[in-house]
Amino acid sequence: MLEEETDQTYENVLAEIQSFELPIEATLRSVYDDQPNAHKKFMEKLDACIRNHDKEIEKMCNFHHQGFVDAITELLKVRTDAEKLKVQVTDTNRRFQDAGKEVIVHTEDIIRCRIQQRNITTVVEKLQLCLPVLEMYSKLKEQMSAKRYYSALKTMEQLENVYFPWVSQYRFCQLMIENLPKLREDIKEISMSDLKDFLESIRKHSDKIGETAMKQAQHQKTFSVSLQKQNKMKFGKNMYINRDRIPEERNETVLKHSLEEEDENEEEVLTVQDLVDFSPVYRCLHIYSVLGDEETFENYYRKQRKKQARLVLQPQSNMHETVDGYRRYFTQIVGFFVVEDHILHVTQGLVTRAYTDELWNMALSKIIAVLRAHSSYCTDPDLVLELKNLIVIFADTLQGYGFPVNRLFDLLFEIRDQYNETLLKKWAGVFRDIFEEDNYSPIPVVNEEEYKIVISKFPFQDPDLEKQSFPKKFPMSQSVPHIYIQVKEFIYASLKFSESLHRSSTEIDDMLRKSTNLLLTRTLSSCLLNLIRKPHIGLTELVQIIINTTHLEQACKYLEDFITNITNISQETVHTTRLYGLSTFKGKVAQTACMSACQHLSTSLMQMLLDSELKQISMGAVQQFNLDVIQCELFASSEPVPGFQGDTLQLAFIDLRQLLDLFMVWDWSTYLADYGQPASKYLRVNPNTALTLLEKMKDTSKKNNIFAQFRKNDRDKQKLIETVVKQLRSLVNGMSQHM
């Protein structure tokens, strides 16, 4: 049974081997691994199988042998025919080859043409794909050449985003792509260079830009100001107060000239856009925005403009000498901020309102400091007035562009005080000239015409004088109408500064009255005080000066009416300032006159004692002279004019008093001992004066007292006089040698 299973196994293995379907390694391994002697048995089975197959092959060959022989016989029969056919085929092939050579040539030509045609089609397709790229790049080059940099950047964006992706596989496209960053940098550099040129240009032309802007602002304001002047002129037309009329004709002339000038300048005024080409800024801003570097551009622009602002705000050292210096300073500043305002409104974000406000506040502080410093050097009121007008136009111009200017008008009030001071100094010189030319005599008039000329200059009213026949005299001297006219001119000059300060009529009225008060109470009074102290002014002149000041004080009410006509502010207003007049000065004139009289009297008495024509003087005469001086001192101590402090008036006789006391008490030892000491009792006694008077008394003693040599007291006194004379001479000689 086991042997049968083994045989069956070998049969299966042989069947598997013959099938060629499975790998035989595993099959053979199963034969050798089953049991001992399996190899031998398997080989026996294999040999038996081979013998069986050989038998089958032999049978198959025997079966088909006759057919094979028949087939060979048939082949041998057709061999001759085959050789003939071979020759025919060879000949036919040769003929075909010869005939197809030309066809092959033409076919190859056709193939080449078809290949070329296909290549051309491919090239055309590729060129049609590349052509827009090349056209755009050519357009880019043209834009660069034409300096249309913003358009060039847009073209670059189109190339990168749309066109280059179509042809990115080509080398020329890579070269173009590599060249674009360089072109962008070139555009940045060129646009920055244009911006620098623009900044330099506006720096150079800032004064022209500012001048144009200020003309525009002035042009816009002219019409309203002209109307205001016209209304004021109509209000004050034909108004007379005691023949004191506002010169409306001059206002009409100014108004007419102003309107004519407005018409002439209307076509000449240009805008800032007409003067400045802002395209470099726009281009540069757009370029940097496209390049994504807008912040760098903004920072650079602001930094450079701040540097330019510092340069513009730096004045020239001699700016205060001429109005042109101030005008150039203002126009440059206005030009700077007009440009910044334009940039603010036509660009987005390049400058902001906060930036311009910060820049303006910085500039305003510098401007005020500069004007405050330089205006302090101005001594000419006309120059100060022109400076004020420039500041007003400057402020109005910048205010029109939205910049706050209140601090400038506050500065104008400081300058107004300085202007008033310069006016006061100028009018002090005018008053001095008037006083120098005055003869201090009543004004004579010989006919009605001369009389009217005087009262047209000065509001004088006196019914008694009007009734008198010609020739007659006004009580005041020629300086009074001249002074009155100059006071009105001062009011006009002061009014000029108050115009365009955006102040109410009440404030202007108050300013005019205060400045006029200063003119009267300080400048005019000071000039009068200096006048009465001059040596050539005697009592007659002093009396005339007092009369003149009385009439000038009475004329103050007419000056008040004059100011009222200008400002249209009633004098009954609660806060209206009144003119003080010269009442305080009249107290001072009386004191000066009294002091001058006492000094003149003291000097005259001293000269009487020392007169060379007076050869001798007795002690009795000295005593009588002393009594006269005592009367003068009593008059001085009686306070003839109120206002003197203490013994001020008595000091006019101090030289005489000490000299007479020395002779009355004969206190020569004290005088000689204390001479030169600050606390000396006879400090005011001059040795020369004492010697001169003593020599006159000595000669009198010798000639008038014949028997003096026989009286012991007289002899002693004579010796004492001689001794004192010797000592005084020694003292005088010592003083001469010391000098």
Side-chain angles (χ1 to χ4, degrees):
M1 185 66 180
L2 179 61
E3 185 176 354
E4 291 178 356
E5 293 179 355
T6 304
D7 292 340
Q8 184 63 38
T9 300
Y10 290 151
E11 290 292 339
N12 293 336
V13 170
L14 291 173
E16 290 177 1
I17 292 172
Q18 293 178 35
S19 66
F20 297 102
E21 294 180 357
L22 296 174
I24 64 173
E25 291 87 354
T27 304
L28 293 176
R29 191 179 295 111
S30 64
V31 173
Y32 291 106
D33 292 345
D34 284 345
Q35 55 188 351
N37 300 319
H39 177 266
K40 183 178 179 181
K41 291 179 178 181
F42 177 72
M43 291 303 295
E44 291 176 352
K45 287 288 184 183
L46 183 60
D47 290 336
C49 183
I50 291 171
R51 285 192 298 272
N52 288 334
H53 282 294
D54 289 339
K55 289 177 179 181
E56 290 179 358
I57 292 171
E58 186 177 357
K59 288 179 179 179
M60 182 67 67
C61 289
N62 290 331
F63 179 77
H64 291 290
H65 176 72
Q66 186 61 39
F68 177 75
V69 172
D70 293 339
I72 293 297
T73 302
E74 290 292 332
L75 287 174
L76 290 174
K77 288 180 180 180
V78 298
R79 179 176 181 179
T80 304
D81 295 335
E83 289 177 353
K84 291 180 180 179
L85 180 62
K86 179 179 178 183
V87 172
Q88 291 177 355
V89 170
T90 303
D91 183 60
T92 301
N93 181 55
R94 180 182 56 75
R95 290 198 303 271
F96 270 114
Q97 291 293 332
D98 294 338
K101 286 182 180 179
E102 186 176 355
V103 175
I104 290 172
V105 172
H106 290 294
T107 302
E108 289 177 352
D109 291 339
I110 292 172
I111 292 172
R112 285 196 300 271
C113 289
R114 291 295 177 87
I115 292 173
Q116 290 176 353
Q117 185 179 15
R118 186 175 64 249
N119 290 341
I120 290 172
T121 302
T122 303
V123 169
V124 169
E125 291 176 355
K126 297 302 181 182
L127 286 177
Q128 287 177 343
L129 191 64
C130 296
L131 188 59
V133 180
L134 297 174
E135 288 177 348
M136 289 297 290
Y137 196 80
S138 175
K139 180 181 178 181
L140 172 62
K141 290 294 186 179
E142 291 176 358
Q143 290 169 340
M144 291 291 293
S145 300
K147 299 183 178 181
R148 296 167 53 200
Y149 302 118
Y150 179 72
S151 301
L153 288 174
K154 288 297 185 182
T155 303
M156 290 183 196
E157 287 186 354
Q158 288 182 316
L159 284 170
E160 289 177 327
N161 299 328
V162 179
Y163 293 94
F164 282 166
W166 298 348
V167 293
S168 59
Q169 68 273 23
Y170 300 115
R171 186 170 179 272
F172 79 89
C173 180
Q174 297 300 322
L175 293 176
M176 290 180 181
I177 293 174
E178 293 173 1
N179 195 38
L180 291 188
K182 181 179 181 300
L183 291 177
R184 285 194 173 95
E185 289 300 320
D186 291 343
I187 291 174
K188 285 181 68 173
E189 292 177 2
I190 293 171
S191 60
M192 184 58 70
S193 177
D194 290 344
L195 177 66
K196 291 178 180 178
D197 294 340
F198 168 79
L199 293 175
E200 181 65 20
S201 175
I202 60 174
R203 186 188 69 81
K204 292 180 179 178
H205 297 90
S206 288
D207 53 348
K208 182 63 177 177
I209 299 170
E211 182 181 356
T212 302
M214 291 174 72
K215 283 183 179 180
Q216 274 189 310
Q218 192 173 13
H219 174 74
Q220 293 171 357
K221 189 178 179 181
T222 299
F223 184 71
S224 60
V225 172
S226 300
L227 286 180
Q228 291 177 2
K229 289 183 178 180
Q230 191 175 21
N231 292 335
K232 289 182 180 180
M233 181 182 66
K234 289 180 178 179
F235 184 85
K237 191 173 182 179
N238 296 327
M239 292 183 66
Y240 293 85
I241 298 182
N242 298 313
R243 302 178 179 90
D244 187 10
R245 180 172 178 254
I246 298 176
E248 66 200 43
E249 294 81 4
R250 181 167 64 179
N251 288 341
E252 290 179 351
T253 303
V254 171
L255 176 60
K256 181 179 179 182
H257 176 71
S258 176
L259 293 175
E260 290 176 353
E261 189 178 66
E262 177 184 355
D263 293 337
E264 291 175 358
N265 294 336
E266 185 172 0
E267 296 182 357
E268 298 177 3
V269 177
L270 302 174
T271 63
V272 64
Q273 294 87 345
D274 297 327
L275 298 173
V276 181
D277 179 17
F278 288 94
S279 57
V281 181
Y282 307 149
R283 285 198 303 268
C284 199
L285 177 60
H286 291 159
I287 287 169
Y288 273 78
S289 300
V290 172
L291 294 175
D293 204 8
E294 187 175 2
E295 185 177 356
T296 300
F297 172 73
E298 292 175 1
N299 292 336
Y300 177 81
Y301 177 85
R302 295 182 184 182
K303 182 179 178 181
Q304 294 301 315
R305 289 297 278 164
K306 284 184 178 180
K307 288 182 179 179
Q308 290 186 346
R310 295 188 183 96
L311 292 176
V312 166
L313 294 171
Q314 189 65 32
Q316 295 182 351
S317 58
N318 61 342
M319 182 180 73
H320 59 276
E321 295 178 359
T322 61
V323 70
D324 290 335
Y326 287 108
R327 182 179 291 109
R328 191 177 303 109
Y329 182 68
F330 286 131
T331 54
Q332 287 179 347
I333 296 174
V334 170
F336 178 89
F337 282 99
V338 166
V339 170
E340 290 304 286
D341 181 78
H342 182 77
I343 294 294
L344 172 66
H345 287 90
V346 300
T347 61
Q348 295 181 352
L350 180 55
V351 296
T352 62
R353 175 57 68 182
Y355 161 79
T356 56
D357 288 345
E358 178 187 358
L359 199 61
W360 169 245
N361 290 330
M362 180 274 291
L364 188 58
S365 299
K366 178 67 175 178
I367 292 167
I368 291 175
V370 167
L371 292 178
R372 186 178 284 128
H374 281 262
S375 63
S376 62
Y377 296 109
C378 295
T379 57
D380 182 7
D382 294 333
L383 179 57
V384 179
L385 183 61
E386 290 182 349
L387 172 60
K388 167 258 174 183
N389 293 331
L390 283 175
I391 293 176
V392 170
I393 298 173
F394 173 75
D396 289 342
T397 303
L398 289 175
Q399 191 174 34
Y401 285 92
F403 296 100
V405 294
N406 292 335
R407 292 172 61 189
L408 285 174
F409 284 100
D410 293 338
L411 174 66
L412 282 175
F413 282 98
E414 297 179 24
I415 298 178
R416 180 200 64 189
D417 296 335
Q418 180 185 347
Y419 175 71
N420 285 336
E421 288 298 322
T422 58
L423 284 181
L424 293 174
K425 291 179 181 179
K426 178 179 179 180
W427 258 258
V430 172
F431 290 154
R432 283 194 297 268
D433 294 340
I434 292 174
F435 291 143
E436 288 293 332
E437 296 172 359
D438 195 9
N439 57 8
Y440 299 100
S441 300
I443 302 174
V445 290
V446 297
N447 52 44
E448 184 70 21
E449 183 179 358
E450 292 183 358
Y451 182 84
K452 288 182 178 179
I453 291 175
V454 175
I455 62 175
S456 67
K457 296 179 180 178
F458 183 76
F460 178 80
Q461 289 182 333
D462 187 353
D464 295 335
L465 183 62
E466 291 180 1
K467 295 176 182 178
Q468 294 179 14
S469 59
F470 292 101
K472 52 188 175 183
K473 294 182 180 180
F474 286 92
M476 65 279 188
S477 66
Q478 191 64 46
S479 63
V480 172
H482 293 328
I483 292 292
Y484 183 78
I485 292 173
Q486 287 302 319
V487 172
K488 291 202 297 182
E489 290 297 324
F490 175 87
I491 294 173
Y492 277 129
S494 182
L495 176 64
K496 288 180 181 178
F497 196 93
S498 302
E499 295 175 344
S500 304
L501 289 185
H502 307 298
R503 296 294 170 177
S504 64
S505 298
T506 303
E507 291 176 299
I508 294 175
D509 181 88
D510 185 65
M511 287 188 285
L512 288 178
R513 293 177 186 273
K514 286 182 178 179
S515 59
T516 306
N517 271 331
L518 284 176
L519 179 72
L520 296 175
T521 60
R522 194 175 78 181
T523 305
L524 181 56
S525 294
S526 177
C527 290
L528 286 169
L529 287 175
N530 292 332
L531 173 66
I532 62 179
R533 292 193 182 106
K534 291 187 176 181
H536 69 275
I537 299 297
L539 291 177
T540 303
E541 287 80 6
L542 284 174
V543 172
Q544 184 62 56
I545 291 173
I546 293 174
I547 295 173
N548 290 349
T549 54
T550 300
H551 287 285
L552 285 173
E553 185 174 10
Q554 292 173 353
C556 283
K557 63 179 181 178
Y558 300 107
L559 292 174
E560 289 183 341
D561 294 338
F562 179 74
I563 295 174
T564 299
N565 286 340
I566 294 176
T567 61
N568 298 324
I569 299 298
S570 174
Q571 298 183 36
E572 283 70 27
T573 304
V574 176
H575 300 290
T576 301
T577 304
R578 306 307 299 269
L579 298 184
Y580 303 139
L582 300 172
S583 56
T584 304
F585 166 76
K586 287 174 57 183
K588 289 183 178 178
V589 170
Q591 291 174 4
T592 303
C594 188
M595 175 61 76
S596 298
C598 291
Q599 290 176 342
H600 177 73
L601 183 59
S602 176
T603 302
S604 299
L605 291 173
M606 182 67 77
Q607 290 176 351
M608 184 185 299
L609 285 176
L610 303 178
D611 190 1
S612 59
E613 298 296 327
L614 180 64
K615 303 299 183 182
Q616 300 175 359
I617 187 171
S618 64
M619 192 63 190
V622 173
Q623 292 173 348
Q624 183 60 48
F625 193 85
N626 182 53
L627 293 175
D628 294 338
V629 174
I630 290 174
Q631 291 299 317
C632 293
E633 290 174 328
L634 290 175
F635 169 78
S637 62
S638 66
E639 196 177 4
V641 175
F644 284 109
Q645 297 180 354
D647 298 333
T648 302
L649 195 57
Q650 292 174 271
L651 292 177
F653 301 98
I654 187 64
D655 293 352
L656 274 174
R657 173 47 48 212
Q658 291 188 7
L659 179 64
L660 292 173
D661 285 348
L662 178 60
F663 277 86
M664 294 301 296
V665 300
W666 210 253
D667 194 9
W668 292 104
S669 58
T670 303
Y671 173 75
L672 294 171
D674 295 343
Y675 179 76
Q677 300 297 322
S680 174
K681 182 179 179 181
Y682 305 103
L683 182 63
R684 306 296 294 266
V685 178
N686 189 290
N688 281 316
T689 303
L691 178 60
T692 301
L693 186 58
L694 196 60
E695 286 180 337
K696 292 182 179 182
M697 293 183 67
K698 181 183 71 171
D699 294 339
T700 303
S701 299
K702 288 181 178 180
K703 295 180 180 179
N704 293 346
N705 239 330
I706 302 175
F707 301 100
Q709 55 183 339
F710 300 106
R711 292 197 292 270
K712 185 176 182 305
N713 291 337
D714 292 336
R715 289 198 306 272
D716 294 340
K717 187 174 182 181
Q718 186 65 28
K719 290 180 181 180
L720 179 59
I721 290 174
E722 292 177 354
T723 302
V724 172
V725 168
K726 291 180 181 179
Q727 292 176 336
L728 287 174
R729 284 176 178 167
S730 300
L731 182 61
V732 170
N733 292 333
M735 291 173 57
S736 300
Q737 293 176 359
H738 180 71
M739 292 176 62

